[in-house]
Short mmCIF file of all heavy atoms in Angstrom, two decimals:
data_model
loop_
_atom_site.label_atom_id
_atom_site.label_comp_id
_atom_site.label_asym_id
_atom_site.label_seq_id
_atom_site.Cartn_x
_atom_site.Cartn_y
_atom_site.Cartn_z
N ARG A 136 100.41 91.01 94.13
CA ARG A 136 99.76 91.61 92.95
C ARG A 136 100.38 92.99 92.67
O ARG A 136 99.66 93.97 92.47
CB ARG A 136 98.25 91.81 93.20
CG ARG A 136 97.41 90.57 93.38
CD ARG A 136 96.84 90.06 92.06
NE ARG A 136 95.78 89.10 92.32
CZ ARG A 136 94.50 89.33 92.02
NH1 ARG A 136 94.13 90.46 91.48
NH2 ARG A 136 93.60 88.40 92.27
N ASP A 197 89.03 95.99 95.91
CA ASP A 197 89.96 95.05 95.31
C ASP A 197 91.05 95.83 94.58
O ASP A 197 90.81 96.94 94.08
CB ASP A 197 89.22 94.16 94.29
CG ASP A 197 88.43 93.05 94.98
OD1 ASP A 197 88.43 93.01 96.23
OD2 ASP A 197 87.81 92.24 94.26
N ASP A 199 92.36 95.16 91.77
CA ASP A 199 92.30 95.08 90.31
C ASP A 199 91.11 95.82 89.72
O ASP A 199 90.78 95.65 88.55
CB ASP A 199 92.29 93.60 89.87
CG ASP A 199 91.21 92.79 90.58
OD1 ASP A 199 90.23 93.38 91.06
OD2 ASP A 199 91.37 91.55 90.65
N LYS A 224 84.44 92.91 82.96
CA LYS A 224 84.55 91.44 82.95
C LYS A 224 83.18 90.77 82.88
O LYS A 224 83.04 89.66 82.35
CB LYS A 224 85.30 91.00 84.22
CG LYS A 224 85.50 89.52 84.34
CD LYS A 224 86.30 89.12 85.56
CE LYS A 224 86.21 87.62 85.75
NZ LYS A 224 87.05 87.14 86.86
N MET A 289 88.31 95.64 85.24
CA MET A 289 89.10 94.76 86.12
C MET A 289 90.34 94.31 85.35
O MET A 289 90.23 93.90 84.19
CB MET A 289 88.30 93.53 86.56
CG MET A 289 89.05 92.74 87.64
SD MET A 289 88.35 91.11 88.01
CE MET A 289 86.95 91.53 89.02
N ILE A 290 91.48 94.42 85.99
CA ILE A 290 92.73 93.97 85.36
C ILE A 290 92.60 92.46 85.18
O ILE A 290 92.21 91.75 86.13
CB ILE A 290 93.94 94.34 86.22
CG1 ILE A 290 93.94 95.85 86.52
CG2 ILE A 290 95.23 93.91 85.54
CD1 ILE A 290 94.95 96.29 87.56
N HIS A 292 93.14 88.64 85.13
CA HIS A 292 93.99 87.76 85.95
C HIS A 292 93.35 86.39 86.08
O HIS A 292 92.14 86.23 85.86
CB HIS A 292 94.19 88.36 87.36
CG HIS A 292 92.92 88.44 88.16
ND1 HIS A 292 92.42 87.38 88.88
CD2 HIS A 292 92.03 89.45 88.33
CE1 HIS A 292 91.30 87.75 89.47
NE2 HIS A 292 91.02 89.00 89.15
MN1 LIG B 402 89.70 90.25 90.57
#
Side-chain angles (χ1 to χ4, degrees):
R136 295 269 195 113
D197 282 2
D199 52 22
K224 180 177 169 176
M289 189 191 283
I290 305 170
H292 65 84

